Amino acid sequence: MVVGSRRGLRFAALGTLLAVFALPAYADDPTPPPPASVTDVNRSLEQLQAEAAAVQADFAKATIAYTNALKAAQAAEAAAKKAETSATASKGKADEERRRLGLLTVQAYQTGIPTVMGAESMLWSLAPIAENLQEIADRQTAIQQLGSTQVTQYQTAMAAENEAGRAKSEAASMRAAANEAAAKAKQLSQEVQQKAAGASLMMESQYADLDGASALSKQLQLARNQQALARWQAYLTELATAKITPPAAAALKNPARLPAGLVPLTRAGVPVPGAAALVRGGRTVKVLPAETIRAVNQAFSLLGKPYGVAATGPDSYGCLGAARVAWQPYTTLPNLVGKVYPEYQAVPASQVQPGDLLVMGNKSLGLVHIGIALENGEMIAADEAKGAVVVTRVPDNLYAALRPTLGRPVKPQAAPVATSEAYAFRCGNTATSYNVGSGSWTWPLAEGTYEIGTSYGQAGSLWASGYHSGQDFPAAVGTPVRAVTSGVVRVEHPAWAGNLVRIDHGNGLETYYGHLSTVDVADGSQVSAGQRIGAVGSEGNSTGPHLHFEVRLGGDPVNPMPFLATGSATVGWGGFSNGMIPASKLCALGSGHMLRCDAAAAYLRLARAYRAQFGRTLCITDSYRSYSSQVSLYARKPSLAALPGTSNHGWGVAVDLCGGVDRFGTAQYQWMKSQAAKFGWVHPSWADQGGSREEPWHWEFGKPAVS
């Protein structure tokens, strides 16, 4: 509770700072310094999310350990029972062989045939048949057989006795292992229950903080939008004061042929095509084309408009929709980000100017996001995570900058091929869920060789981004560092990391290993899970020996802990952890049910169509599920419920339905199967009849249909 109180005080103080520094849309001083609290509070929200994700990861790790122990106990119990059955059978076989030997020994004795067995062996062989001496029948036949079979039968009986002893010993060992495994599973079960209670309590205590942090973050985003607009207006005022009429784009295309009075705008001594400069009174004023200024003005007019998947306005905009509207009517952008890149001339990152189209992505994933460039490393973009068109920083995964006023590329520009995962990385948002694949996934350091250090999301001035983008593991210099899963190596030496190994695992997933003292893999090599790639060090910007470990999806850093805990992960939609989405970020369906807003809008459209077909309301039993309620459900129904922190209910994109939809073969279910996809709702294959877990009632908001 003390932590919660501190957060409340922190948010209140930052709210006061915001009130002091926030700008109106048309301030007298259009270029005040941005409030320091903007970065701090945004990181505070992310840090709060990281704390929640760490709790979830800890619970997941304990649960998986318990699940594995339970499976091991069940396997050990089955092995023990099998060994005990085998031992019983072996004992029976040994007794039978010993009885046969006894009969032969008696026959030999009664017929007077010399025996090669000593007295002790004879007594051993006679013990089982002491009361069956009358079983000897044909003495003459026995005389003929005994000589050749007695020794062989003795050897057979002894081998059977030895096997019976071995089987008995093995069965005892198996039983001991089964008992030990059962005790371990029981202990871990108790630990999981304790962690579940603690995790649920902590999640409950954070909900109010989340809503407060989310509301403050929204206010700070508004302040950032207004500050960027004020800076742009200051530039337009500067043009007007200098009595500059922005020329047409064609006039500025060639720096060597500019209108009279204008000189080339240079960056690092290189002329910038598509822009110019005016030098007056010792002051240089940047001159952008009229078409570019119009595009930026139109982009600013979209700020605050709601985000909508593939929406083109006027009420909501998708990532490409906002960029398209900004640059019309000068040019109409293609309908896919990957198709935009080949159509317009790319410019070096050092020459980026306001109005340029910024495309984000990478070679292994494809292009996934687009924005309109501003000054100060910012851009205007429709951002799914923010739920609106906003001013945001240019992300690390900037692939290229394009300048529409320069026309088609001088040389062909081929966009990287988009993978099947690319659509999940829409508009600045990482995938809601991400499976790291069927291959093994291990920790980067061996158990017992490290400590848990600075967590992901911690705010501070030590990091250029204003927050910690990975998870630190303090360890001794020279401790072996391992690849967490298979991929292709890229070795780099940035100042902050000293020695850095990046591993591309495909489909937008990368892992980073920083501050290494040695690198043991070659650039471009293929590595497997658990393979040594280097050793812990303290190179670069480091306060002591440790491994800085990152997981990046589509170029954006995400909390590594859920990945390490589960080997696959659901990661933060909108920066929020599973089951920890504030109520302010969800939209109501009625009867207390809520979903993520885009999923809610699609569900309501689906419900209207359902009512038109059947004349009654679509029946719903479950929608968004908080983390604490996931824990509760998992405790009651571990065989049916998803592991807490991994359920799509926790992202607000899943519903459980009733009223006929909950039974295979009904008219209602068949209608959903044929119609729901038109509204973006799908029945996952695992829930189909014959799937791994048959659940006709479970439906998820998937890839939306694009008209």
Side-chain angles (χ1 to χ4, degrees):
M1 296 304 293
V2 174
V3 173
S5 299
R6 286 177 180 170
R7 287 202 194 101
L9 290 171
R10 179 177 65 199
F11 292 142
L14 291 170
T16 303
L17 279 174
L18 178 64
V20 173
F21 285 111
L23 295 173
Y26 298 95
D28 293 332
D29 179 4
T31 56
S37 60
V38 171
T39 300
D40 293 344
V41 173
N42 280 333
R43 299 313 346 149
S44 295
L45 177 59
E46 293 192 10
Q47 186 175 355
L48 185 61
Q49 288 302 315
E51 291 170 10
V55 171
Q56 295 171 342
D58 183 53
F59 176 77
K61 190 177 182 183
T63 304
I64 290 168
Y66 161 65
T67 302
N68 290 340
L70 185 61
K71 290 179 180 177
Q74 292 169 342
E77 177 65 23
K81 288 183 176 179
K82 182 178 180 180
E84 288 165 350
T85 301
S86 177
T88 300
S90 294
K91 182 65 168 64
K93 182 178 180 181
D95 290 346
E96 173 62 20
E97 296 299 340
R98 189 174 173 186
R99 190 188 71 80
R100 289 178 182 176
L101 177 61
L103 290 173
L104 289 174
T105 303
V106 169
Q107 288 176 345
Y109 176 77
Q110 290 178 336
T111 55
I113 295 176
T115 178
V116 296
M117 293 167 43
E120 200 172 303
S121 298
M122 287 180 63
L123 290 173
W124 176 82
S125 69
L126 286 169
I129 61 165
E131 298 177 0
N132 297 300
L133 297 179
Q134 298 306 314
E135 292 182 12
I136 303 172
D138 190 339
R139 182 175 300 182
Q140 189 62 37
T141 303
I143 291 173
Q144 296 172 355
Q145 294 176 343
L146 284 173
S148 61
T149 61
Q150 189 180 19
V151 172
T152 301
Q153 183 60 41
Y154 175 71
Q155 293 171 342
T156 301
M158 287 300 295
E161 184 74 9
N162 290 337
E163 173 60 23
R166 185 202 65 76
K168 181 179 180 180
S169 176
E170 181 181 0
S173 176
M174 290 285 192
R175 172 51 59 195
N179 292 340
E180 182 181 351
K184 181 179 180 181
K186 183 177 180 180
Q187 177 188 350
L188 289 174
S189 174
Q190 293 171 347
E191 291 180 9
V192 164
Q193 294 302 319
Q194 293 171 353
K195 284 184 178 292
S200 182
L201 184 62
M202 178 169 279
M203 296 297 102
E204 291 285 0
S205 70
Q206 286 186 326
Y207 289 139
D209 286 346
L210 275 173
D211 278 319
S214 180
L216 188 55
S217 180
K218 186 174 182 179
Q219 294 177 47
L220 288 166
Q221 181 62 63
L222 178 61
R224 185 173 199 171
N225 292 352
Q226 292 173 336
Q227 290 162 6
L229 175 60
R231 285 192 291 270
W232 176 249
Q233 290 171 337
Y235 168 69
L236 298 182
T237 300
E238 187 176 31
L239 287 180
T241 302
K243 298 182 179 179
I244 299 173
T245 301
L252 301 182
K253 190 172 182 179
N254 186 348
R257 298 179 181 178
L258 296 174
L262 298 181
V263 298
L265 178 70
T266 60
R267 291 291 178 267
V270 178
V272 177
L278 176 69
V279 179
R280 182 169 293 173
R283 180 176 180 135
T284 301
V285 180
K286 179 192 302 183
V287 179
L288 295 173
E291 294 86 346
T292 297
I293 290 175
R294 174 186 170 86
V296 176
N297 283 339
Q298 290 191 152
F300 270 111
S301 73
L302 302 179
L303 288 180
K305 293 284 188 178
Y307 167 83
V309 178
T312 57
D315 298 322
S316 60
Y317 293 89
C319 51
L320 188 60
R324 273 183 132 189
V325 169
W327 272 99
Q328 286 176 338
Y330 178 73
T331 185
T332 298
L333 304 185
N335 60 357
L336 294 173
V337 178
K339 291 183 178 180
V340 173
Y341 179 66
E343 295 296 315
Y344 301 99
Q345 178 63 53
V347 296
S350 60
Q351 294 187 7
V352 169
Q353 298 298 318
D356 288 349
L357 295 171
L358 305 179
V359 291
M360 274 62 70
N362 57 45
K363 290 183 178 179
S364 71
L365 180 66
L367 301 181
V368 297
H369 189 19
I370 189 168
I372 298 97
L374 302 174
E375 300 281 9
N376 300 326
E378 294 182 325
M379 68 179 185
I380 294 175
D383 193 315
E384 183 180 20
K386 301 293 178 60
V389 180
V390 296
V391 174
T392 185
R393 71 175 181 85
V394 178
D396 294 339
N397 63 340
L398 174 66
Y399 185 83
L402 311 174
R403 189 159 297 154
T405 56
L406 297 182
R408 293 187 60 80
V410 175
K411 297 179 180 179
Q413 296 172 179
V417 177
T419 69
S420 59
E421 300 291 334
Y423 79 89
F425 296 88
R426 293 189 300 255
C427 304
N429 179 47
T430 56
T432 296
S433 61
Y434 199 95
N435 192 326
V436 300
S438 57
S440 58
W441 177 274
T442 188
W443 283 60
L445 299 171
E447 193 71 30
T449 66
Y450 63 87
E451 297 177 0
I452 301 296
T454 304
S455 63
Y456 169 84
Q458 181 169 319
S461 58
L462 288 174
W463 306 288
S465 61
Y467 75 105
H468 193 232
S469 56
Q471 174 67 52
D472 284 349
F473 297 99
V477 171
T479 301
V481 176
R482 312 177 296 192
V484 294
T485 190
S486 60
V488 178
V489 168
R490 181 175 172 183
V491 178
E492 298 179 351
H493 305 281
W496 69 269
N499 295 318
L500 175 70
V501 170
R502 295 173 57 174
I503 302 180
D504 186 346
H505 307 289
N507 288 340
L509 173 66
E510 283 186 294
T511 51
Y512 285 28
Y513 311 77
H515 307 304
L516 301 179
S517 59
T518 61
V519 174
D520 300 329
V521 286
D523 192 69
S525 61
Q526 175 77 39
V527 294
S528 56
Q531 180 177 334
R532 176 170 173 150
I533 59 173
V536 169
S538 190
E539 304 299 313
N541 181 20
S542 172
T543 56
H546 71 283
L547 172 68
H548 174 86
F549 176 71
E550 291 189 19
V551 173
R552 294 201 171 207
L553 293 177
D556 294 327
V558 297
N559 190 351
M561 295 304 282
F563 284 85
L564 295 177
T566 65
S568 64
T570 48
V571 295
W573 169 81
F576 298 101
S577 299
N578 187 290
M580 290 292 290
I581 303 175
S584 60
K585 295 290 184 180
L586 299 170
C587 289
L589 306 178
S591 302
H593 291 289
M594 303 184 79
L595 289 175
R596 202 175 76 182
C597 290
D598 53 346
Y603 177 85
L604 292 173
R605 290 194 296 271
L606 171 67
R608 285 194 292 271
Y610 182 92
R611 187 176 186 84
Q613 175 68 22
F614 294 102
R616 57 176 178 260
T617 302
L618 182 58
C619 179
I620 180 171
T621 62
D622 206 357
S623 53
Y624 172 70
R625 196 178 288 160
S626 68
Y627 183 78
S628 56
S629 64
Q630 291 179 57
V631 169
S632 174
L633 181 63
Y634 187 82
R636 289 183 284 113
K637 300 178 180 179
S639 62
L640 289 178
L643 182 70
T646 66
S647 170
N648 273 333
H649 284 285
W651 294 120
V653 293
V655 293
D656 290 344
L657 303 177
C658 48
V661 179
D662 52 337
R663 297 187 302 276
F664 292 115
T666 63
Q668 293 85 353
Y669 176 81
Q670 294 297 340
W671 184 88
M672 284 289 293
K673 285 290 285 185
S674 65
Q675 300 297 315
K678 298 177 182 178
F679 302 92
W681 287 88
V682 296
H683 194 241
S685 57
W686 58 262
D688 283 339
Q689 196 163 18
S692 60
R693 196 166 75 238
E694 296 182 347
E695 293 187 6
W697 56 83
H698 183 88
W699 295 77
E700 296 178 354
F701 184 59
K703 185 177 180 180
V706 178
S707 57

